[in-house]
């Protein structure tokens, strides 16, 4: 297996490779080529054109956010190292993206939010990625009805809105009340206030316990506006709604970074030596039970097929699986630390990244130093491998 490898040594102003010229600065970003060599012919390249002129200075990350046929695309720009992925949810009009950085907590935005201020730099606005759970149990009081009595437990959740999607938190602590089985009314109030932050809370959902012959579940009583202070529950058990789906949903860690998209609606990110996964197709929910750890601090992530590459400060890891509850982790025997998070790039074979000894190739066929025939270790160190930014061209 052979690959054509192109890497860029990062400086300010003009960045040069063997056949590529990339200009940056106040005039924006232009990409062009000095020459094109084909077998037996000489062709000219089209003149470079301006793709985007950043509004801010010292931009480290940009992303082209599409707006569909009715809206022009806009460029998101950041002065930090930011990783951005498209939302793994059914989306034909919102154009959602999710992004992380070591400089701020996990965030999400869509076209409407990103352009809500009307002018660059974009994004103009965002929401926090997760939905925090209520911290306090509800207050309960029962009245009316006929015996016999039963003991019920009540919980509630917060619901936020992101475009056309409603996202639900994990439940509050439970409270119990003894009431008559038939005709009783339970007053539910004493809800805790939603936490501060950019969450766009719109509803509370109230659930109550239902005990069957072999199961114990919480089923939906009502969805009420977030500002509503109380609710009277007089519903019969047969009129209750869905079973609570979000028992183990938690927001991602506030230090989550390096977000990547895997198949089957799974997003992955890392913090410290922990790898986190979201609930499939629910990028606001990151159950802690899905988290895996590595022996060494994580530098960055990459994806090929259904495999997650984990670059660390020592040995790389591969995590494979189609669902976050059944991921399999393998520590690779090659001791090649990842020295540049932004050097990690995926191609049709696997992942490439920069190590102290050269450009490392990780694929299902094995692991190797892809540049061993081109650079000695000393020659590789001389070009500052910590500064390499990886990208796939053509």
């Amino acid at each position: 297996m052979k690959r054509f490898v192109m890497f860029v040594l990062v400086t300010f102003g003009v960045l040069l490779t063997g056949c590529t010229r990339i200009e940056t600065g106040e005039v924006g970003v232009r990409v062009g080529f000095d020459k094109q060599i084909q077998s037996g012919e000489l062709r000219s390249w089209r003149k470079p054109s301006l793709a985007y002129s950043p509004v801010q200075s010292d931009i480290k990350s940009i992303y082209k956010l599409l707006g569909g046929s009715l809206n022009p695309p806009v460029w998101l720009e950041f002065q930090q190292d930011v990783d951005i992925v498209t939302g793994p949810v059914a989306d034909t009009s919102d154009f959602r993206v999710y992004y992380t950085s070591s400089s701020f907590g996990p965030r999400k935005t869509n076209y409407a939010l990103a352009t809500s201020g009307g002018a660059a730099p974009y994004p103009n606005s965002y929401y926090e990625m997760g939905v925090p759970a209520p911290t306090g149990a509800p207050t309960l009081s029962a009245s009316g009805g006929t015996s016999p009595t039963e003991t019920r437990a009540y919980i509630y959740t917060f619901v936020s809105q992101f475009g056309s999607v409603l996202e639900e938190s994990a439940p509050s602590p439970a409270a119990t009340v003894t009431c008559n089985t038939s005709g009783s009314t339970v007053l539910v109030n004493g809800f805790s206030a939603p936490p501060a932050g950019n969450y766009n809370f719109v509803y509370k959902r109230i659930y109550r316990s239902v005990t069957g012959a072999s199961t114990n579940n919480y089923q939906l009583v009502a969805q009420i506006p977030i500002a509503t202070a109380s609710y009277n529950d007089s519903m019969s058990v047969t009129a209750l709604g869905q079973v609570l789906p979000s028992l183990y949903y938690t927001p991602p860690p506030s230090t989550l970074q390096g977000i990547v998209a895997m198949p089957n609606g799974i997003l992955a990110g890392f913090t410290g030596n922990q790898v986190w996964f979201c609930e499939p197709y629910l990028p606001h929910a990151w159950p802690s039970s899905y988290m895996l750890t590595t022996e060494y601090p994580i530098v960055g992530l990459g994806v090929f097929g259904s495999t997650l590459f984990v670059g660390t400060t020592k040995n790389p890891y591969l995590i494979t699986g189609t669902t976050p509850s059944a991921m399999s982790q393998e520590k690779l025997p090659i001791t090649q630390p990842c020295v540049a998070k932004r050097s990690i790039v995926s191609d049709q074979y696997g992942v490439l990244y920069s190590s102290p000894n050269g450009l490392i190739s990780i694929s299902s066929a094995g692991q190797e130093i892809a540049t061993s025939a081109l650079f000695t270790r000393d020659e590789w160190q001389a070009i500052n491998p910590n500064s390499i930014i990886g990208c796939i061209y053509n």
Side-chain angles (χ1 to χ4, degrees):
M1 178 184 68
K2 295 183 178 179
R3 297 180 179 174
F4 173 73
V5 178
M6 181 175 73
F7 59 89
V8 179
L9 306 184
V10 180
T11 61
F12 293 98
V14 179
L15 315 186
L16 297 177
T17 67
C19 63
T20 308
R21 180 177 71 254
I22 304 175
E23 300 177 5
T24 65
E26 296 181 356
V27 297
V29 179
R30 296 177 185 266
V31 179
F33 293 83
D34 296 321
K35 55 185 177 294
Q36 178 184 14
I37 301 175
Q38 303 285 344
S39 177
E41 59 182 329
L42 182 65
R43 296 181 181 180
S44 62
W45 288 98
R46 290 188 177 184
K47 181 180 179 182
S49 60
L50 180 66
Y52 174 63
S53 183
V55 175
Q56 305 174 93
S57 61
D58 194 25
I59 298 301
K60 291 185 173 63
S61 306
I62 57 174
Y63 181 86
K64 189 176 184 180
L65 180 63
L66 302 179
S69 59
L70 300 179
N71 300 296
V74 296
W75 289 85
L76 310 185
E77 60 179 70
F78 304 91
Q79 294 175 313
Q80 306 88 10
D81 174 19
V82 175
D83 296 289
I84 307 177
V85 297
T86 304
V89 293
D91 186 354
T92 58
S93 59
D94 287 342
F95 307 101
R96 301 179 186 87
V97 292
Y98 298 78
Y99 57 103
T100 61
S101 172
S102 61
S103 302
F104 49 75
R107 297 176 178 179
K108 59 193 176 188
T109 192
N110 57 25
Y111 190 90
L113 274 173
T115 60
S116 59
Y122 304 111
N124 297 151
S125 188
Y126 65 89
Y127 293 143
E128 311 292 341
M129 192 184 295
V131 185
T135 56
T139 300
L140 309 173
S141 60
S143 61
T146 57
S147 58
T149 62
E150 65 177 356
T151 299
R152 298 177 186 171
Y154 282 80
I155 57 175
Y156 63 100
T157 63
F158 291 143
V159 178
S160 66
Q161 186 165 4
F162 179 36
S164 59
V165 171
L166 295 179
E167 300 177 333
E168 188 170 13
S169 75
S172 69
T176 58
V177 64
T178 299
C179 59
N180 290 314
T181 304
S182 177
S184 177
T185 297
V186 175
L187 174 64
V188 186
N189 57 12
F191 305 111
S192 61
N198 293 336
Y199 294 107
N200 195 35
F201 294 110
V202 290
Y203 299 114
K204 292 188 285 272
R205 287 179 182 166
I206 301 169
Y207 295 82
R208 86 182 196 211
S209 60
V210 176
T211 302
S214 59
T215 59
N216 292 282
N217 294 312
Y218 285 100
Q219 289 186 241
L220 180 66
V221 174
Q223 176 174 278
I224 61 176
I226 194 69
T228 300
S230 63
Y231 181 82
N232 286 302
D233 172 28
S234 57
M235 296 179 68
S236 66
V237 67
T238 57
L240 296 176
Q242 67 172 353
V243 174
L244 173 72
S246 59
L247 183 60
Y248 301 108
Y249 292 1
T250 56
S254 61
T255 53
L256 188 79
Q257 56 181 300
I259 194 168
V260 293
M262 299 181 67
N264 302 307
I266 303 170
L267 301 184
F270 74 90
T271 178
N273 70 331
Q274 302 174 352
V275 182
W276 287 71
F277 301 93
C278 79
E279 194 73 28
Y281 302 102
L282 297 173
H284 70 284
W286 297 69
S288 59
S289 58
Y290 297 160
M291 185 266 292
L292 299 174
T293 60
T294 62
E295 291 182 53
Y296 317 107
I298 298 170
V299 177
L301 307 177
V303 176
F304 61 99
S306 58
T307 299
L308 178 70
F309 163 80
V310 183
T312 77
T313 57
K314 195 172 183 182
N315 293 67
Y317 286 71
L318 295 181
I319 299 175
T320 57
T322 57
T323 176
S325 61
M327 290 293 186
S328 175
Q329 179 175 283
E330 176 188 6
K331 176 185 173 182
L332 298 182
I334 185 171
T335 306
Q336 293 291 349
C338 178
V339 297
K341 170 183 168 292
R342 302 185 79 181
S343 72
I344 301 172
V345 65
S346 303
D347 65 7
Q348 68 268 36
Y349 302 110
V351 165
L352 296 162
Y353 71 93
S354 177
S355 86
N357 304 302
L359 204 61
I360 306 301
S361 166
I362 304 290
S363 70
S364 56
Q367 313 100 46
E368 62 179 345
I369 303 177
T371 53
S372 59
L374 303 175
F375 297 91
T376 66
R377 175 185 168 87
D378 289 342
E379 290 169 339
W380 181 255
Q381 285 291 319
I383 63 174
N384 191 14
N386 298 49
S387 70
I388 290 177
I389 296 176
C391 64
I392 294 297
Y393 171 69
N394 246 2

